Amino acid sequence: MERSADQVQSLARRLLDAYDRREEVVALTDEHPDLSEADGYRIQRALIELFRERGARVVGKKTGLTSKAKQVAMGVPEAIYGYLLDTYLLREPEPVRMAELIHPRLEPELAFIMGERLRGPGVTTPQVLAATRAVVPALEVIDSRYLNFKFKLADVVADNCSASRVVLGANEVPLDGIDLRLQGMVLEKNGVLADTGAGAAVLGHPASAVAWLANKLAEVGDCLEPGDIVMPGAPCEALFVQAGDEVRVTFDRVGSVTARIE
Ligand code: OOG
Ligand code: MG
């Protein structure tokens, strides 16, 4: 059954309220077990509209759950997408402030900066590579608005894929000669190795996640724009953090970014 516009609005407002109060809410599917993925995207669009009414700007898009490690960790075996707002962006060395968040986790991602518009359907991985201006080392801060970070597909979609902050490194590197599929990644917390990965963990190739996103956005008449920051999804599980922690990711040939948690 299709949700009424009123119900979509009221569920979006509930999530906005959780975001503002930095308080968890029960998963929407606890109360509405039949909430569909399509309902989730309608609630997400309403939520983004509410942020825009407050003056926030969309500066890019994200995918999530594009690696096996993330799908298994979160118990949702499907790729999802959401929007990046200017209010999420932190430039190294700006700290991640725990007081602004609920129960943040950090995950390493190689952000894409688009140079050309990409409009699906039919966008391919080589087309994404050709349309990419640069890549940037990034640490995404995810902060689910749901109790204990537990959700189903429709919930996490509605919650804009747990999007919260993105710490961007200073190095914008063009892709010339870099095979992102084979690109190694080393993740450290407080100087101790926390995880490792390769680009192929993300849908076989991080640019394939971006192609998936462009094609999925086409279903709602949206596309990737020049200048968009695009997060392709993490190759490994997210890290728990607390104030005082320092998380650093280093990508082969692209460099590193450090997030200081305050
Ligand atoms: C959903 C967002 C997942 C990623 O990179 O896979 C995501 C979550 O895990 O809360 O951003
Ligand atoms: Mg992510």
Side-chain angles (χ1 to χ4, degrees), residues 25-35 147 150-152 155:
V25 291
V26 294
L28 307 182
T29 54
D30 279 11
E31 201 178 307
H32 307 281
D34 60 339
L35 209 66
L147 202 59
K150 290 236 165 10
F151 45 69
K152 298 207 167 71
D155 300 305

Side-chain angles (χ1 to χ4, degrees), residues 104-138:
R105 299 180 186 179
L106 261 69
E107 47 186 34
E109 296 189 35
L110 192 66
F112 284 61
I113 312 291
M114 304 316 297
E116 287 163 39
R117 173 169 296 157
L118 272 180
R119 186 181 285 283
V123 171
T124 63
T125 304
Q127 283 171 350
V128 169
L129 295 173
T132 300
R133 190 176 82 208
V135 289
V136 184

Side-chain angles (χ1 to χ4, degrees), residues 62-64 70 107 109 140 142 231 233-234:
K62 65 167 284 184
T63 66
K70 280 290 305 185
E107 47 186 34
E109 296 189 35
E140 185 183 14
I142 50 170
M231 303 294 283

Side-chain angles (χ1 to χ4, degrees), residues 9-257:
Q9 270 300 318
S10 99
L11 294 175
R13 283 192 185 280
R14 190 185 298 180
L15 288 168
L16 184 70
D17 197 46
Y19 187 97
D20 286 344
R21 293 151 65 110
R22 287 147 208 147
E23 273 174 24
E24 304 169 311
V25 291
V26 294
L28 307 182
T29 54
D30 279 11
E31 201 178 307
H32 307 281
D34 60 339
L35 209 66
S36 67
E37 179 180 355
D39 293 329
Y41 280 109
R42 287 179 69 207
I43 298 165
Q44 182 195 107
R45 274 195 290 284
L47 177 65
I48 297 298
E49 242 358 272
L50 291 172
F51 279 119
R52 283 157 64 122
E53 279 168 20
R54 293 176 167 185
R57 261 185 330 112
V58 171
V59 291
K61 286 103 189 173
K62 65 167 284 184
T63 66
L65 310 180
T66 46
S67 67
K68 193 85 194 163
K70 280 290 305 185
Q71 293 183 352
V72 169
M74 308 322 285
V76 177
E78 282 186 66
I80 55 178
Y81 75 86
Y83 289 85
L84 296 182
L85 302 175
D86 59 343
T87 49
Y88 298 165
L89 297 186
L90 298 170
R91 305 269 171 187
E92 191 183 25
E94 280 181 86
V96 175
R97 296 195 165 85
M98 290 296 280
E100 297 174 356
L101 305 167
I102 304 170
H103 42 204
R105 299 180 186 179
L106 261 69
E107 47 186 34
E109 296 189 35
L110 192 66
F112 284 61
I113 312 291
M114 304 316 297
E116 287 163 39
R117 173 169 296 157
L118 272 180
R119 186 181 285 283
V123 171
T124 63
T125 304
Q127 283 171 350
V128 169
L129 295 173
T132 300
R133 190 176 82 208
V135 289
V136 184
L139 284 160
E140 185 183 14
V141 182
I142 50 170
D143 193 27
S144 173
R145 266 54 69 174
Y146 299 117
L147 202 59
N148 301 323
F149 229 110
K150 290 236 165 10
F151 45 69
K152 298 207 167 71
L153 175 63
D155 300 305
V156 66
V157 166
D159 187 25
N160 196 28
C161 306
S162 311
S164 159
R165 299 284 185 273
V166 177
V167 184
L168 289 173
N171 267 14
E172 281 200 15
V173 177
L175 275 176
D176 312 328
I178 302 179
D179 184 346
L180 292 184
R181 198 175 66 90
L182 298 178
Q183 190 192 38
M185 175 218 79
V186 173
L187 183 66
E188 291 158 298
K189 183 164 128 182
N190 303 327
V192 178
L193 181 68
D195 217 329
T196 58
V202 176
L203 281 186
H205 192 306
S208 301
V210 181
W212 174 85
L213 172 63
N215 293 325
K216 190 83 178 165
L217 286 170
E219 292 174 11
V220 291
D222 205 352
C223 64
L224 300 180
E225 300 283 2
D228 264 1
I229 300 166
V230 178
M231 303 294 283
C236 60
E237 261 184 70
L239 291 179
F240 290 85
V241 289
Q242 51 190 29
D245 283 343
E246 206 172 76
V247 176
R248 173 186 169 95
V249 60
T250 307
F251 291 97
D252 182 33
R253 301 213 249 176
V254 175
S256 65
V257 58

